[in-house]
Every structure is written in structure tokens, then in C-alpha cells.
Amino acid sequence: MVSLPSGFDGRTVPSVPGRRLLRPDFIWGVSTSSYQIEGAAREDGRGPSVWDGFSHEPGRIANGDTGDDACDHYHRYGEDIALMRDLGVGAYRFSIAWPRVLPEGRGAVNEAGIAFYDRLVDGLLAAGIEPWVCLYHWDLPQALQDRGGWAHRDSVSWFADYTRLMASRLGDRVKRFATFNEPGVFTLFGYAFRWHPPAVDDPSQHHAAIHHVNLAHGAAIDVLRAYLPGASLGTICNMQPVRPVDPTDQDRAAAALLDEYWNRAFADPQVRGTYPQALAGRIAPFVQEGDMERIRRPIDWLGINHYSPIYARADATSRLGFAWSDAPAGVPRSPIGWQIDPEAFRDTLLDACDRYRLPIYVTENGAGAEETGDATGVVDDVERIAYLSCYIDALEEAVMLGADVRGYFVWSLLDNFEWGAGYANRFGLVRVDYPTQRRIPKASARWYRATIAAQVRGSVP
Ligand code: FCB
């Protein structure tokens, strides 16, 4: 049984456990994404993405923040690789900004953009860190949105062509590719809740987008297999138990439906070849003969992003019939209000192993906070350490109970642009002082380094 460790009183730092019962080749990593860290939004020929326009619309993002400069990783990637080397991570998961390499989304290649990813990959390999490339972390080229975006069936071939480009340019050095990050989030938030671009509430576009993203995944897997037969390919899904906020029949039904949109709409067709029950009828108008075979292509692993359980309540005013809800009062929460429930993480891993029968990598897990450093910028983030510690305990417990989990990536290496919350929510192991772009490792960075060292070398340094 996993319990909350001492750090949640805000004082005592959980100790670093000794060697864990994990595979000797278990991968410890960190994750980021392009729009959240790169900055240089208008440099060297990068085209606009949907997030550029959206973040500049008044009222969309807390404090009017945008990703224009973010962590300036585009220029400071060398320093960021050095930070990762200090952590001792074996792998770095990042995403490619599609409009940086194809400013119009298709057609003319921006060689300066490709050169950036070349430098990044070369730097990682020189530091002994394996690059894990995610092809899509939400920054669709605006030019493609103007043609209909994911609601247009042509998006499947746009994505396949973009994948071919990246496979041909990076595939000599990159051996791990994921197609999409959390499609359950960007489709629901973009086409129903209007919290993300394209910020519409339109059932037809929503269900078309779900299906086209699934087809684009399948098409990309085919391209990657053809170009890079030895590569290890996966998909990255958010998976979190969905709970009714009240134990009423209405809220239970709301939770069951949100569960399909959030947890099942992508992994089910991609791995099992079928849409979940309630969604199947809604998506049927967009399904053509042979599509389910096009979507279900063999993959090598499933990436799972998990932070906390989520809550739903019935809402007759929403076209989906459900609304997002905060966790009920009284549950343990992280500093930004997300429930802390390591047992839900353990159970999510066990359920996913059972349902999908694939090796699992936890491609995101971490804790957000609205932190300020001390006078020198140092952050003693005891609560983050406590969170990571009990979640890694839960992962280990899932493994002991039979789950095939092969790696764990902390979200995130750096504080960064946290979508609608802007820069106020910080998830980094390393603090970013935005005015100076100074990087200051937090206490959690030292803890994670010791955790990795204990696992990899069997001793705490
Ligand atoms: C996930 C996203 C990631 C980050 C974390 C906190 O849903 O994939 O970009 O924002 O949440």
C-alpha cells in the first residue's frame, strides 16, 4: 500500500530509497515540449502555430503570457543538455515544432529549423542521452488550421508527409519516435471546451478530429516502419481515472462518458482496433471502409502521461452533457490543486497493461506549484519531492504486481509555458528565472539525480 510520505507537511524531505525492484535497463528521463520551452517564435523562418495566435488573443492565457520567448531553449539548448547530464538521465523526450521545420505545414522545408533539431540531437548523443522524439505536442501549423486542421481528412496525409521528413532527417540518429502527445486532451479542449485552439465547440469537427488524428497516427507508424525498420515506435496518451464528483447516477454517467473521450478514444482504436461504445456512433459518420485497419498498426510501446484522477459532473447546458469538475474537498492536493493519489497511478498502470498488453513508459508525471525562490532563486520544493517519491513508489508497486513498466520521465526538466496557466504554474526540476533566463536546479533536481544514481549504480552519491 502506497502512502503519502513526510514531505507533504512541507518540512521533512523524503529520503532517497535504495535500489528499486525495476528492470536493470529501466529508463529514467525528463520530458518537455516545443511550444512550452523553445521560444524564438519568429526566428530563422519558423512559421506560426495555432498556439501563437491563440496565446496572443486577449483573455486566453493567465497574465497574458505567450510562448514567444518561453525558456529560450532554442538558443540555450546546450546549457539544458548540460543540466540533463548533471541529473544523470538516460533519455530526453522532446517534441518537434512542426511549423519550425515546415512553416506552411507542408511543402517548403525550413532548413534552419531542421538544423536546430540536428544540433539538439547531436548534443544529446554526445552527452550520452537518448533522444525520444514526439512528433506532435499540440503546435499545429496555423496554415494547416486555415485549411481545416484536424477536422479535415487531408490532415492525415499532411501528418504522414511531415513524419516522412523527420524520419529521413533524424532517423539516422533517433531510434525512438512517438506520434502524438495526449490527443484526448487537445481534441476535447480544442473542439469542445474551447480552452485550447482552435477553440470551437462543434460536435462534427470534434468527432472528425478524433478520427483523423487516429488515422494520422496509423499513417505515421507506417511511414516510420518503412523508413526506419529498427526504430522503436509508440503513442503517448493521458490516462487518469475519471470519477463522478457526486455518487449520483447522472454524475456517474458523466464520468463514464468523459472516460471515453479522455482515456479511450485513441488508445482503444490504435491498439485494439475499436472505438469505445458511446463514441463509436458519434464517430461513425467519419469512418470509411478500411479505416480501423489503417489506425491499428502494431506499435512497440504505450506512453502514459498521468498526474492525478480527474472529476466529472453532469451538465445539461454542455452539448456533451458533462462538465469538468474540481476534486471534492478534503482530498490531498498538490500546490496547484491537483489531487495526489498514488494508488490511482498504480491502478492506471495495471489497468493499461491489462487492456493494451504493451510495454509501458510513463512519459509524463510531475507536480505543479506557484513557486517563488529565495533571494538567490533557490527553490526548496519539498512537496514536489514528496509527490515524485510516492508516485515512483506506486510505479514500483505496479511493477511488483506484474505491470510491464520500462521507464519514467519527469514532467518537466524546466519550468515552462503551462498552456492556459501561462508561466504561473511551474513544473520544473530546474527553476527558470524568466527575466534573465537563468536556470537554477531545485531541491527536486538533486533528489531526482540521487534517485537515478541509486537505481543505476545501486548507491546514493
Ligand atoms: C500535460 C501536457 C504537458 C504539460 C503537463 C503539465 O497534459 O502534456 O504539456 O502541460 O500536462
Side-chain angles (χ1 to χ4, degrees), residues 33 36 93 137-138 181-182 185 305 307 338 364 411 418-419 427:
S33 89
Q36 293 179 276
R93 173 195 157 219
H137 200 123
W138 308 353
N181 176 72
E182 298 191 357
V185 175
N305 295 354
Y307 292 86
W338 294 9
E364 285 184 26
W411 182 273
E418 178 48 29
W419 311 115
F427 276 83

Side-chain angles (χ1 to χ4, degrees), residues 12-305:
T12 342
V13 182
S15 59
V16 174
R19 187 188 280 270
R20 292 177 178 275
L21 296 169
L22 301 170
R23 304 160 59 95
D25 59 352
F26 190 88
I27 293 174
W28 297 94
V30 282
S31 281
T32 65
S33 89
S34 44
Y35 189 69
Q36 293 179 276
I37 66 165
E38 284 181 5
R42 281 178 279 277
E43 241 176 280
D44 290 345
R46 176 187 177 278
S49 82
V50 290
W51 270 94
D52 292 284
F54 184 77
S55 67
H56 277 266
E57 283 173 27
R60 294 291 195 194
I61 312 292
N63 305 312
D65 290 340
T66 74
D68 287 2
D69 302 319
C71 309
D72 195 30
H73 173 75
Y74 186 73
H75 298 111
R76 293 167 198 262
Y77 65 92
E79 195 184 330
D80 295 338
I81 292 172
L83 288 166
M84 287 187 259
R85 204 183 38 220
D86 283 353
L87 283 174
V89 293
Y92 173 48
R93 173 195 157 219
F94 60 97
S95 73
I96 307 286
W98 185 347
R100 196 179 285 293
V101 296
L102 289 166
E104 295 288 318
R106 46 188 214 143
V109 175
N110 179 31
E111 291 300 337
I114 301 265
F116 165 67
Y117 295 109
D118 274 333
R119 293 194 293 278
L120 176 61
V121 164
D122 290 344
L124 288 165
L125 291 172
I129 300 167
E130 189 186 17
W132 284 49
V133 166
C134 177
L135 290 166
Y136 189 81
H137 200 123
W138 308 353
D139 41 0
L140 183 73
Q142 182 61 46
L144 298 183
Q145 184 58 46
D146 296 343
R147 292 174 176 271
W150 294 112
H152 198 307
R153 195 171 164 111
D154 283 358
S155 56
V156 179
S157 59
W158 303 333
F159 190 69
D161 291 345
Y162 156 60
T163 301
R164 193 169 299 113
L165 172 69
M166 297 321 299
S168 68
R169 298 303 189 90
L170 297 182
D172 56 334
R173 288 153 291 156
V174 175
K175 302 298 171 203
R176 301 270 194 174
F177 284 90
T179 53
F180 285 86
N181 176 72
E182 298 191 357
V185 175
F186 75 80
T187 51
L188 187 68
F189 287 4
Y191 293 91
F193 289 179
R194 292 195 281 202
W195 296 340
H196 283 189
V200 294
D201 179 11
D202 177 338
S204 157
Q205 287 194 57
H206 185 187
H207 296 116
I210 290 174
H211 188 57
H212 298 150
V213 166
N214 276 321
L215 284 166
H217 159 84
I221 293 293
D222 284 348
V223 166
L224 290 164
R225 288 274 181 237
Y227 274 74
L228 309 171
S232 167
L233 311 180
T235 188
I236 296 174
C237 291
N238 46 292
M239 285 196 189
Q240 297 162 274
V242 186
R243 297 177 177 165
V245 73
D246 285 316
T248 60
D249 287 350
Q250 290 88 336
D251 283 3
R252 282 209 185 88
L257 192 52
L258 175 55
D259 181 51
E260 292 200 5
Y261 281 101
W262 191 258
N263 290 317
R264 306 265 172 256
F266 299 90
D268 269 21
Q270 291 175 15
V271 183
R272 294 158 60 103
T274 51
Y275 279 108
Q277 210 183 6
L279 281 192
R282 301 173 190 210
I283 292 176
F286 307 100
V287 180
Q288 298 179 9
E289 210 187 319
D291 276 4
M292 299 318 287
E293 291 72 46
R294 292 185 186 101
I295 291 170
R296 185 198 194 181
R297 315 306 295 163
I299 53 175
D300 304 304
W301 48 271
L302 175 64
I304 292 185
N305 295 354

